[in-house]
Amino acid sequence: MSTVYIFSGPCGCGKTTLAKAYAKHIANKNQDKQVYVIHGDVFAAGFTEPDNRNAHISSGKILEWEDILKFNWDCILTVAQKALAKGLDVIIDYVVEDELPLVQELARKYGAKLYYIVLTASCDTIKERLNKRGDSYLTERALFLKNKLDNLPENQGHLLNNVGKSVEDELEQLKTENFILE
């Protein structure tokens, strides 16, 4: 049986760091099975826009943010489907706002277990991490997402606050069945 792990959370919460570490953990633990990691930001980075984006939106040749998100999720789900069809475990590293039902449907289709982990941190920690990595322009969006994700009913019981925790501490917390979705 394959497994899908979703690492969600606002920018600056450590999704990518934990997803990479967890993939290595799974691969080393289960040495006869590969894990395929999908970093959603790779698809988002595929869009190269003009410096003055707003001046070109009205032409219809520049996608709105909502269309970009839909495109990214279409790509993520297509790649996940291909990996599941090969019997691989899949880790998805991307912000999940309204897309959880799409991943649940995919997991059901392939009879895969589904784990859902929503990383969170304090507002100050998020700001500090984004500034440290040179992404301070993401702060407003990250804080909006933190508030939204921390309060979504489907995320309750799936939140993992990683403030002051090492990656090893986080991996230890993931050993429980708390994050499985039925």
Side-chain angles (χ1 to χ4, degrees):
M1 171 187 269
S2 292
T3 304
V4 177
Y5 303 88
I6 305 172
F7 289 90
S8 180
C11 318
C13 274
K15 293 181 301 293
T16 300
T17 301
L18 186 56
K20 287 177 183 178
Y22 199 64
K24 187 55 91 174
H25 168 78
I26 294 169
N28 286 336
K29 179 181 166 191
N30 197 5
Q31 301 222 344
D32 62 340
K33 192 167 188 178
Q34 291 176 309
V35 179
Y36 194 83
V37 182
I38 302 168
H39 299 291
D41 286 345
V42 170
F43 298 110
F47 289 92
T48 302
E49 301 177 350
D51 292 333
N52 188 357
R53 180 185 199 277
N54 292 332
H56 301 282
I57 289 178
S58 62
S59 70
K61 296 178 184 171
I62 303 287
L63 295 178
E64 297 281 352
W65 178 242
E66 294 77 20
D67 295 323
I68 290 172
L69 283 176
K70 182 177 177 346
F71 179 89
N72 293 345
W73 271 102
D74 287 346
C75 291
I76 290 166
L77 293 170
T78 298
V79 172
Q81 181 175 344
K82 290 182 178 295
L84 289 169
K86 299 265 184 214
L88 300 172
D89 286 345
V90 174
I91 292 179
I92 297 172
D93 157 28
Y94 204 52
V95 178
V96 177
E97 291 181 78
D98 305 312
E99 300 81 10
L100 187 57
L102 299 172
V103 182
Q104 288 175 304
E105 181 182 320
L106 180 67
R108 274 192 296 275
K109 178 179 177 181
Y110 285 90
K113 281 174 107 175
L114 178 59
Y115 288 82
Y116 183 48
I117 301 98
V118 182
L119 294 173
T120 189
S122 69
C123 293
D124 287 341
T125 300
I126 290 170
K127 289 177 193 175
E128 180 183 311
R129 289 175 182 171
L130 290 173
N131 285 331
K132 185 176 180 180
R133 71 182 201 196
D135 289 336
S136 57
Y137 68 94
L138 293 172
T139 301
E140 184 179 335
R141 173 90 174 133
L143 296 179
F144 165 81
L145 286 170
K146 176 197 171 14
N147 183 54
K148 179 178 182 178
L149 298 176
D150 282 0
N151 292 296
L152 283 174
E154 62 267 29
N155 291 354
Q156 302 315 302
H158 297 276
L159 294 167
L160 175 61
N161 188 324
N162 65 4
V163 174
K165 294 182 180 141
S166 67
V167 172
E168 292 75 23
D169 293 337
E170 292 176 283
L171 291 174
E172 190 63 35
Q173 281 192 270
L174 294 178
K175 289 183 180 177
T176 69
E177 294 291 312
N178 293 346
F179 297 101
I180 196 163
L181 279 177
E182 301 298 332

